[in-house]
Amino acid sequence: MAAVLESNGLGSMNDVPGDLLGEIKRLEEMFTVEQPKLKEITNHFVDELAKGLSVKGGSIPMNPTWVMTRPTGYETGTFLALDMGGTNLRVCEIILPEAKGEFEIIQSKYRMPEELKTGKAEELWEYVADCLQQFIEYHHDEEKMDTLPLGFTFSYPATQNYIDHGILQRWTKGFDIEGVEGHDVVEQFEAALATRGLPIKLTALINDTTGTLVASAYTDDAMRIGCIFGTGCNAAYVENCGSIPKLADMKLPADMPMAINCEWGAFDNEHKVLPLTPYDIIIDKESPRPGQQAFEKMVAGLYLGELFRLVLVDLHHNKECIFFHGQDISKLEKAYTLDSSFLSLIEEDPFENLSETHDLFIHKLGITAKKPELELCRRLAELIGTRAARLSSCGVAAICKKKNYESCHVGADGSVFNKYPHFKQRGAVALREILDWPKDLKPDPIDIRAAEDGSGVGAAIIAALTMKRIKEGNLAGVRNTEGLPSGKT
C-alpha cells in the first residue's frame, strides 16, 4: 500500500535530478509573493479603489449598484432569479416567508452553449428567454400567474445609472458576443421576453458579487464584503455616497449607503505592482482582451490551469532539462485544455508516490510521467494555487483598510474558494501578513467564510429591497416603475 503524504505536501526530493531541482527553484522564485510585495500591492489597491470612485475614474470601475439598503431578514414575497454566469444559466424561484432570514428555492440549470459565447446578441437573449419559458412552463404548467419580479444576476462589468438598467462595459470570462458591449442589456433582455409574453418584470440587474454580499448579510450581521473567487474574481462592499465623487451631481445624502461592485479583476492593468511571470504575459497577450483584467488573469480559475499548462509545455521544450522526454504532448499543447480542477486534483493526491497524479496525466493528457516530473507538477500546482490565494487577499485587505474595518466577516463564493485545496487557509495567512496581526491574536479578526447563494437568493432579496424602497418613495436609481408587481416585500 502506498504511503500517505504528510500535510506539508511533497515527499522527499532526493530522487529529483539536478536539472529539475533547478527548475523547481526557479519556479519557486518566480511564483512566490513575499510579505513586502503583498503590502505594496495592497497599498496600491487602496489608491486604485479610491481612484475608481472619483469623477475621472481609474482601471477598477467601482460601479455603483443602486442597492441602497441592507436586508433585515423580514423581506417577504415570491421572486424569480436569473443567474447568467460563465458556465451555466440558472433560473430560480425563491419564496421569502414570514420567518426571519428563511427562504425556499426551486431551481433549474441550463448549460451555456460554447458557440453562444462568441455568437450574436440576438442568439444569446433568445436562448435566455427560452430557458425562462421552459422553467415557467415546467413549474407552473397552465397556471394563471401574477407578474413575478425578477432579479437578474449579470456577472459582467456594467455601468448602472439605474438598478433596472445596465450598459455592458466589456465581456469577461471568455465571452465575446458582438452587439452587446456599449448597450443596455436590460432592453435587449426585455425585448426577448416581450416576444414570448412571459409574466416577468425585471426589477433589479445585479452582479453576482453584490448578490453574495446581500445574501450573506441577510443571515450574518457582521458581513461587510462579498467576494467571488471562481471562473472570474470580484468584490462588493457598501460605501457612503459622500465618498463617491462621481455621484456628487446626484446630491444624494452623504451618509446614504451604496453597494459598490468593484470589478477588481481590472486592478493594475497598467502592470505597476503585480509580479508578472513570463507565463502571465503570454496569457495576457493571447487572451481575447490583451491589457485588460490583469488581476483576474493571475487569480481566477479560468487561468490557473492555463498557467500550469504553459509552464509544462515550456519545460518540455527547454533544452536545459529533460521533461516528459519521448512523450506525446499534443493534448497538453492545446490552449485551455486544463482548468483549476486539474490543479485541485494534483494538490489533493494523498500518496507519497503521487499515484493519483500519475493516473490523471495518463487519462487526461496521454502522458506517462516519471516520479520526479510528478514531484515538479505537484510543487508547481502548489505555487500557482498559493499565489492566487495570497494575491486575492490583497484585495480584501485593501477594502478593509479603505473602510477602516478592523474586524468583519467576508462572504466568499466561487469554485476556487469552495473547491481548491487550502485556498482559504493560504488567503488567511496572507491577510495576517498584510495587516500585521500579532501572532497570538485568535481568531482572525477578518474572517473570509463561505457565502450564501448570492446569484440566486441574493438577487431575489435585492429585488425585494428595491420594491420596498420604491414603495417608500426612494426612487434614486430606478428607471422604470411601471408594471411592478404589488407583492409583499
Side-chain angles (χ1 to χ4, degrees):
M1 179 178 163
V4 175
L5 278 172
E6 296 297 325
S7 59
N8 61 356
L10 285 171
S12 167
M13 284 281 198
N14 292 341
D15 54 352
V16 178
D19 58 343
L20 288 191
L21 275 175
E23 290 302 324
I24 289 171
K25 187 170 187 301
R26 180 182 70 89
L27 292 168
E28 286 175 339
E29 289 171 355
M30 194 181 287
F31 283 98
T32 299
V33 188
E34 302 287 1
Q35 183 184 30
K37 187 64 174 176
L38 290 176
K39 290 184 171 185
E40 180 193 357
I41 294 167
T42 301
N43 290 335
H44 187 56
F45 221 130
V46 174
D47 294 340
E48 290 297 300
L49 293 172
K51 192 185 287 184
L53 294 171
S54 70
V55 175
K56 187 177 178 185
S59 288
I60 306 179
M62 301 296 282
N63 297 323
T65 65
W66 303 101
V67 176
M68 304 173 77
T69 45
R70 281 178 66 91
T72 63
Y74 290 108
E75 292 74 20
T76 59
T78 301
F79 304 87
L80 288 179
L82 174 66
D83 174 16
M84 188 176 134
T87 310
N88 295 314
L89 189 73
R90 182 168 62 121
V91 181
C92 312
E93 181 175 314
I94 292 146
I95 299 168
L96 304 178
E98 301 286 346
K100 185 179 192 299
E102 296 293 321
F103 59 85
E104 300 164 19
I105 183 167
I106 304 165
Q107 59 184 323
S108 297
K109 280 187 179 178
Y110 307 88
R111 189 86 183 162
M112 285 291 284
E114 283 300 315
E115 60 271 18
L116 272 189
K117 296 183 181 181
T118 51
K120 292 189 166 63
E122 298 77 23
E123 296 164 350
L124 170 69
W125 301 118
E126 288 293 317
Y127 179 75
V128 172
D130 280 344
C131 293
L132 275 166
Q133 186 165 8
Q134 282 179 43
F135 181 87
I136 286 175
E137 288 174 353
Y138 183 80
H139 293 289
H140 298 280
D141 187 30
E142 297 183 13
E143 283 181 40
K144 179 160 174 45
M145 292 182 61
D146 292 331
T147 300
L148 285 173
L150 174 86
F152 182 4
T153 302
F154 184 74
S155 305
Y156 306 87
T159 302
Q160 284 192 266
N161 297 322
Y162 308 93
I163 196 162
D164 52 349
H165 153 97
I167 294 172
L168 177 66
Q169 294 166 349
R170 64 185 177 280
W171 285 114
T172 56
K173 302 177 195 172
F175 277 70
D176 195 11
I177 299 169
E178 66 177 71
V180 188
E181 287 183 350
H183 296 276
D184 181 5
V185 297
V186 173
E187 283 184 8
Q188 296 185 353
F189 170 66
E190 286 182 331
L193 287 185
T195 62
R196 288 164 175 74
L198 295 173
I200 294 169
K201 168 64 180 173
L202 186 139
T203 308
L205 182 76
I206 73 157
N207 184 277
D208 56 352
T209 323
T210 313
T212 295
L213 170 63
V214 171
S216 300
Y218 185 66
T219 58
D220 181 350
D221 290 338
M223 196 64 63
R224 294 292 178 271
I225 302 169
C227 293
I228 301 290
F229 303 118
T231 311
C233 68
N234 196 11
Y237 74 103
V238 178
E239 191 56 87
N240 295 323
C241 287
S243 300
I244 311 174
K246 63 186 178 184
L247 292 184
D249 59 345
M250 297 200 67
K251 298 181 170 50
L252 298 167
D255 61 350
M256 181 174 278
M258 174 75 77
I260 297 293
N261 164 30
C262 299
E263 292 296 348
W264 73 12
F267 168 64
D268 201 32
N269 281 347
E270 306 83 3
H271 297 160
K272 287 183 179 175
V273 294
L274 288 174
L276 294 167
T277 69
Y279 308 107
D280 295 301
I281 291 165
I282 292 169
I283 280 182
D284 181 49
K285 190 173 73 176
E286 296 183 356
S287 70
R289 303 298 169 90
Q292 294 183 18
Q293 300 301 102
F295 187 60
E296 181 171 282
K297 286 169 182 169
M298 296 180 78
V299 305
L302 181 63
Y303 304 101
L304 301 186
E306 181 64 1
L307 265 174
F308 182 82
R309 187 194 70 81
L310 286 170
V311 175
L312 298 192
V313 170
D314 186 40
L315 287 171
H316 177 73
H317 293 301
N318 185 347
K319 301 278 193 297
E320 303 295 315
C321 69
I322 298 170
F323 192 78
F324 295 160
H325 181 65
Q327 298 286 321
D328 175 6
I329 69 157
S330 55
K331 287 184 179 176
L332 184 65
E333 288 192 305
K334 185 182 175 190
Y336 291 92
T337 198
L338 305 178
D339 61 18
S340 59
S341 66
F342 191 86
L343 277 67
S344 295
L345 290 168
I346 293 173
E347 286 218 51
E348 284 170 342
D349 187 344
F351 298 111
E352 178 78 31
N353 65 358
L354 298 174
S355 57
E356 290 184 358
T357 307
H358 179 268
D359 294 346
L360 183 65
F361 270 85
I362 291 173
H363 296 314
K364 178 80 176 175
L365 298 168
I367 291 171
T368 304
K370 296 172 182 169
K371 173 77 184 313
E373 294 166 342
L374 295 172
E375 297 278 16
L376 181 145
C377 290
R378 169 67 165 249
R379 185 69 187 118
L380 177 60
E382 289 175 351
L383 289 167
I384 291 171
T386 300
R387 187 186 73 163
R390 288 171 70 79
L391 289 177
S392 296
S393 286
C394 293
V396 174
I399 291 176
C400 291
K401 289 184 79 166
K402 184 182 188 310
K403 294 294 293 180
N404 295 316
Y405 294 149
E406 293 188 359
S407 67
C408 69
H409 293 163
V410 178
D413 202 357
S415 55
V416 173
F417 181 82
N418 291 325
K419 296 177 182 175
Y420 199 96
H422 319 302
F423 187 88
K424 181 182 177 185
Q425 297 91 319
R426 290 163 175 169
V429 169
L431 265 184
R432 188 166 278 275
E433 290 178 34
I434 296 165
L435 298 172
D436 290 317
W437 294 334
K439 287 186 178 173
D440 59 352
L441 184 62
K442 297 284 166 103
D444 290 353
I446 295 164
D447 182 11
I448 305 177
R449 50 179 59 192
E452 295 293 337
D453 170 19
S455 51
V457 176
I461 295 167
I462 289 171
L465 293 174
T466 303
M467 289 173 64
K468 183 179 179 182
R469 74 176 177 89
I470 288 170
K471 286 177 185 173
E472 291 170 351
N474 180 358
L475 301 180
V478 180
R479 182 178 61 173
N480 181 11
T481 59
E482 287 180 23
L484 275 177
S486 59
K488 295 179 296 178
T489 56

